[in-house]
PDB file of all heavy atoms in Angstrom:
ATOM      1  N   ALA A 240       6.608   1.640  -5.284  1.00 91.00           N
ATOM      2  CA  ALA A 240       7.791   0.938  -5.788  1.00 91.00           C
ATOM      3  C   ALA A 240       8.833   1.980  -6.179  1.00 91.00           C
ATOM      4  O   ALA A 240       8.518   3.148  -6.396  1.00 91.00           O
ATOM      5  CB  ALA A 240       7.433   0.055  -6.984  1.00 91.00           C
ATOM      6  N   GLY A 241      10.074   1.517  -6.292  1.00 90.00           N
ATOM      7  CA  GLY A 241      11.122   2.445  -6.696  1.00 90.00           C
ATOM      8  C   GLY A 241      12.488   1.828  -6.513  1.00 90.00           C
ATOM      9  O   GLY A 241      12.639   0.621  -6.326  1.00 90.00           O
ATOM     10  N   GLY A 242      13.502   2.693  -6.528  1.00 88.00           N
ATOM     11  CA  GLY A 242      14.857   2.219  -6.350  1.00 88.00           C
ATOM     12  C   GLY A 242      15.850   3.187  -6.939  1.00 88.00           C
ATOM     13  O   GLY A 242      15.503   4.296  -7.373  1.00 88.00           O
ATOM     14  N   GLY A 243      17.112   2.765  -6.951  1.00 90.00           N
ATOM     15  CA  GLY A 243      18.179   3.610  -7.460  1.00 90.00           C
ATOM     16  C   GLY A 243      19.233   2.797  -8.172  1.00 90.00           C
ATOM     17  O   GLY A 243      19.390   1.595  -7.929  1.00 90.00           O
ATOM     18  N   ASP A 244      19.956   3.452  -9.066  1.00 90.00           N
ATOM     19  CA  ASP A 244      21.084   2.826  -9.748  1.00 90.00           C
ATOM     20  C   ASP A 244      22.180   2.579  -8.710  1.00 90.00           C
ATOM     21  O   ASP A 244      22.668   3.523  -8.084  1.00 90.00           O
ATOM     22  CB  ASP A 244      21.587   3.751 -10.852  1.00 90.00           C
ATOM     23  CG  ASP A 244      22.644   3.093 -11.734  1.00 90.00           C
ATOM     24  OD1 ASP A 244      23.428   2.280 -11.207  1.00 90.00           O
ATOM     25  OD2 ASP A 244      22.695   3.410 -12.936  1.00 90.00           O
ATOM     26  N   PRO A 245      22.603   1.326  -8.495  1.00 86.00           N
ATOM     27  CA  PRO A 245      23.608   1.040  -7.464  1.00 86.00           C
ATOM     28  C   PRO A 245      24.911   1.798  -7.647  1.00 86.00           C
ATOM     29  O   PRO A 245      25.594   2.111  -6.664  1.00 86.00           O
ATOM     30  CB  PRO A 245      23.822  -0.471  -7.596  1.00 86.00           C
ATOM     31  CG  PRO A 245      22.567  -0.987  -8.214  1.00 86.00           C
ATOM     32  CD  PRO A 245      22.110   0.098  -9.143  1.00 86.00           C
ATOM     33  N   GLU A 246      25.275   2.120  -8.879  1.00 89.00           N
ATOM     34  CA  GLU A 246      26.524   2.816  -9.129  1.00 89.00           C
ATOM     35  C   GLU A 246      26.427   4.314  -8.845  1.00 89.00           C
ATOM     36  O   GLU A 246      27.437   5.013  -8.840  1.00 89.00           O
ATOM     37  CB  GLU A 246      26.974   2.586 -10.573  1.00 89.00           C
ATOM     38  CG  GLU A 246      27.293   1.124 -10.889  1.00 89.00           C
ATOM     39  CD  GLU A 246      27.824   0.945 -12.296  1.00 89.00           C
ATOM     40  OE1 GLU A 246      27.968   1.957 -13.016  1.00 89.00           O
ATOM     41  OE2 GLU A 246      28.114  -0.213 -12.679  1.00 89.00           O
ATOM     42  N   LEU A 247      25.205   4.802  -8.620  1.00 90.00           N
ATOM     43  CA  LEU A 247      25.000   6.241  -8.420  1.00 90.00           C
ATOM     44  C   LEU A 247      24.316   6.523  -7.077  1.00 90.00           C
ATOM     45  O   LEU A 247      23.737   7.592  -6.899  1.00 90.00           O
ATOM     46  CB  LEU A 247      24.148   6.813  -9.573  1.00 90.00           C
ATOM     47  CG  LEU A 247      24.714   6.598 -10.980  1.00 90.00           C
ATOM     48  CD1 LEU A 247      23.688   7.008 -12.046  1.00 90.00           C
ATOM     49  CD2 LEU A 247      26.003   7.393 -11.174  1.00 90.00           C
ATOM     50  N   ARG A 248      24.429   5.607  -6.142  1.00 85.00           N
ATOM     51  CA  ARG A 248      23.685   5.730  -4.893  1.00 85.00           C
ATOM     52  C   ARG A 248      24.153   6.894  -4.029  1.00 85.00           C
ATOM     53  O   ARG A 248      23.395   7.414  -3.210  1.00 85.00           O
ATOM     54  CB  ARG A 248      23.797   4.437  -4.083  1.00 85.00           C
ATOM     55  CG  ARG A 248      23.107   3.239  -4.708  1.00 85.00           C
ATOM     56  CD  ARG A 248      23.241   2.024  -3.825  1.00 85.00           C
ATOM     57  NE  ARG A 248      22.497   2.172  -2.583  1.00 85.00           N
ATOM     58  CZ  ARG A 248      22.758   1.507  -1.468  1.00 85.00           C
ATOM     59  NH1 ARG A 248      23.777   0.666  -1.434  1.00 85.00           N
ATOM     60  NH2 ARG A 248      22.030   1.688  -0.386  1.00 85.00           N
ATOM     61  N   ALA A 249      25.396   7.325  -4.197  1.00 90.00           N
ATOM     62  CA  ALA A 249      25.954   8.364  -3.329  1.00 90.00           C
ATOM     63  C   ALA A 249      25.491   9.765  -3.705  1.00 90.00           C
ATOM     64  O   ALA A 249      25.822  10.725  -3.005  1.00 90.00           O
ATOM     65  CB  ALA A 249      27.486   8.308  -3.362  1.00 90.00           C
ATOM     66  N   SER A 250      24.697   9.902  -4.746  1.00 95.00           N
ATOM     67  CA  SER A 250      24.321  11.236  -5.228  1.00 95.00           C
ATOM     68  C   SER A 250      23.245  11.903  -4.384  1.00 95.00           C
ATOM     69  O   SER A 250      23.018  13.103  -4.508  1.00 95.00           O
ATOM     70  CB  SER A 250      23.827  11.148  -6.682  1.00 95.00           C
ATOM     71  OG  SER A 250      22.595  10.438  -6.746  1.00 95.00           O
ATOM     72  N   GLY A 251      22.534  11.142  -3.560  1.00 95.00           N
ATOM     73  CA  GLY A 251      21.414  11.702  -2.795  1.00 95.00           C
ATOM     74  C   GLY A 251      20.116  11.733  -3.562  1.00 95.00           C
ATOM     75  O   GLY A 251      19.101  12.261  -3.070  1.00 95.00           O
TER      76      GLY A 251
END
Side-chain angles (χ1 to χ4, degrees):
D244 188 326
E246 296 184 1
L247 303 171
R248 293 181 68 203
S250 68

